Amino acid sequence: MNNSFDLNKILRPHILNLAPYSSARDEYTGHVGIFLDANENPYGSVTDENYNRYPDPHQMDIKRKLAPLKQINVERIFLGNGSDEPIDLLVRATCIPGKDKVIIMPPTYGMYEVSASIHDVKIEKVSLTTDYQIDVEAVLNAITPDTKIIWICSPNNPSGNVMQGKDIETILENFHGIVVVDEAYIDFTDSPSWLHHLDSYPNLVVLQTFSKSWGLAGLRIGMCFASKELVHILNKIKAPYNISQPSQKALLEGLDAATNMNEMVKEILKERTSLRTMLENLSLVNKVFPSDSNFLLVKFDDAKAIMDYLLQETIIVRDRSRVHLCEGCLRITVGTREENEALVACLVKYQQNIITV
Ligand SMILES: Cc1ncc(COP(=O)(O)O)c(C=O)c1O
């Protein structure tokens, strides 16, 4: 429980008092009527399908379907243009440029640093431990009165592992600012989500996304779960129609097909195990790190040469070999059975070439 948290002290003062843009569809939310309020084209669209009307700015149909699925109140849900949008909005809402600070724990997802840099917000980097866990003492020591956000990625990108619950709890309890737990990969682990701790911790924000397990990266929709007061603030500062009508429509269909998501996740987890086994059998692989995600972090003797070779073979993986604590590593997304076998066949060919040379 964190009783000392006061959102009003964390928000930038001018954001607290900001009068948001009131969109035409904020004033009338019915679906039928003669709409002469938003300067739309009354004849339809140039395309066969009509997109001439602005979409629901608050995506209420989606939130009403999502709320029971996540067992959370509609008022605690913010939807963004990918979870990258709430990452940016949280910095904008809380951090005074040139003054305030966020804490990140490398190696981790790059957008926390990029978003802070865009807004000229200071970044305090507290390295994860060598086994990719939170160095709680170092994090607590790095907190200053100007620290507004601590970013925790769990399961972490690029290391793939879940952070220990007790460490997250210690930070939640001892920090006066916002603790974001980014759960982009949560559906690939048995570890529980932090979603159901929102009542205990008013300073907790949980991010999830439709881009990974749901297979909807192209729609660009991310979820942000937080106190209803913070969700209200994010809604005030977002672009008025941040999620397009086709995306909203496709997601509404997607939410009805949650069982497909479960099936795909099962398949990906099976493939993760078999890809791990295949990689561990290769002599050029030094280590395959444990993964609670849909990717594997793999340490090679010569990551750069392998990356170049795979590129020549038009297999694209992510080079993390120059990232702190990931030296010599490539991050490999778990593909289909055929894709994984093609990757491993390429690596076997590379291995044989080295031996023959
Ligand atoms: C940890 C993490 N958070 C957030 C994102 C962004 O996801 P979205 O597609 O929802 O913007 C990613 C994307 O790779 C990620 O790895």
Side-chain angles (χ1 to χ4, degrees):
M1 195 55 98
N2 184 332
N3 293 322
S4 63
F5 177 72
D6 181 354
L7 181 62
N8 292 345
K9 288 199 181 128
I10 292 301
L11 295 171
R12 292 164 72 187
H14 76 284
I15 296 278
L16 246 182
N17 303 321
L18 182 91
Y21 174 74
S22 163
S23 68
R25 293 299 132 78
D26 274 330
E27 281 151 31
Y28 177 75
T29 51
H31 289 292
V32 280
I34 297 173
F35 293 108
L36 304 176
D37 57 345
N39 303 343
E40 297 153 333
N41 185 330
Y43 292 105
S45 305
V46 292
T47 44
D48 288 342
E49 184 131 357
N50 278 336
Y51 302 109
N52 56 325
R53 298 295 173 192
Y54 284 103
D56 174 5
H58 299 294
Q59 312 99 19
M60 288 315 295
D61 289 343
I62 295 174
K63 287 178 186 170
R64 277 190 283 265
K65 264 195 189 175
L66 188 58
L69 212 71
K70 296 286 175 187
Q71 296 178 323
I72 196 165
N73 195 304
V74 165
E75 290 172 317
R76 284 181 177 275
I77 306 174
F78 172 84
L79 296 175
N81 187 318
S83 36
D84 286 337
E85 185 183 7
I87 289 173
D88 176 74
L89 292 180
L90 286 163
V91 175
R92 271 204 256 177
T94 58
C95 297
I96 300 174
K99 174 181 174 292
D100 287 337
K101 186 176 102 177
V102 299
I103 293 179
I104 65 168
M105 300 174 207
T108 195
Y109 181 49
M111 280 308 289
Y112 314 141
E113 179 167 355
V114 172
S115 289
S117 300
I118 289 169
H119 298 293
D120 190 22
V121 165
K122 293 178 200 160
I123 301 148
E124 183 78 34
K125 294 184 184 179
V126 180
S127 172
L128 291 176
T129 60
T130 47
D131 56 351
Y132 301 129
Q133 285 298 327
I134 299 173
D135 184 342
V136 184
E137 205 182 316
V139 170
L140 295 181
N141 284 336
I143 295 169
T144 66
D146 291 333
T147 309
K148 294 296 181 69
I149 303 177
I150 297 179
W151 295 100
I152 298 173
C153 191
S154 182
N156 186 43
N157 174 7
S159 57
N161 62 299
V162 168
M163 298 298 148
Q164 285 178 22
K166 65 176 174 37
D167 295 342
I168 298 180
E169 214 165 320
T170 306
I171 293 172
L172 279 164
E173 275 166 11
N174 291 285
F175 179 46
H176 57 272
I178 286 173
V179 179
V180 184
V181 181
D182 184 345
E183 297 185 336
Y185 301 96
I186 193 69
D187 294 322
F188 302 105
T189 173
D190 290 332
S191 292
S193 164
W194 280 83
L195 206 52
H196 305 295
H197 295 274
L198 287 172
D199 278 336
S200 311
Y201 298 107
N203 56 336
L204 171 64
V205 173
V206 176
L207 299 181
Q208 294 183 1
T209 181
F210 287 102
S211 299
K212 313 292 176 184
S213 53
W214 289 83
L216 298 172
L219 298 186
R220 308 303 304 125
I221 306 182
M223 298 162 261
C224 173
F225 305 100
S227 68
K228 84 173 198 271
E229 292 77 18
L230 183 53
V231 166
H232 173 71
I233 296 292
L234 297 178
N235 277 323
K236 272 207 319 189
I237 64 176
K238 77 180 179 75
Y241 305 101
N242 58 330
I243 297 180
S244 74
Q245 184 207 324
S247 285
Q248 291 196 37
K249 183 165 171 269
L251 181 57
L252 274 174
E253 285 166 25
L255 285 170
D256 287 333
T259 47
N260 291 347
M261 185 269 267
N262 295 330
E263 288 305 311
M264 282 195 289
V265 167
K266 253 195 244 163
E267 206 55 39
I268 289 168
L269 295 187
K270 217 167 72 195
E271 284 308 314
R272 184 176 76 190
T273 307
S274 82
L275 177 60
R276 163 182 299 282
T277 309
M278 290 193 284
L279 289 169
E280 282 174 344
N281 283 333
L282 297 174
S283 60
L284 50 66
V285 168
N286 280 338
K287 180 165 185 175
V288 184
F289 287 87
S291 174
D292 280 298
S293 315
N294 66 339
F295 57 83
L296 295 172
L297 187 69
V298 186
K299 196 172 174 75
F300 291 92
D301 280 339
D302 189 350
K304 174 80 179 71
I306 290 169
M307 176 81 195
D308 291 345
Y309 176 77
L310 289 176
L311 272 177
Q312 265 177 37
E313 301 286 320
T314 65
I315 296 180
I316 299 101
V317 298
R318 192 89 155 111
D319 185 0
R320 300 285 81 184
S321 61
R322 284 176 302 278
V323 169
H324 171 65
L325 293 184
C326 298
E327 292 77 11
C329 292
L330 302 179
R331 195 194 67 198
I332 301 174
T333 305
V334 177
T336 61
R337 168 64 55 94
E338 293 70 29
E339 288 169 339
N340 299 336
E341 284 176 351
L343 166 80
V344 174
C346 251
L347 291 173
V348 168
K349 204 163 79 183
Y350 178 88
Q351 201 169 269
Q352 281 163 350
N353 281 346
I354 296 182
I355 294 165
T356 1
V357 169

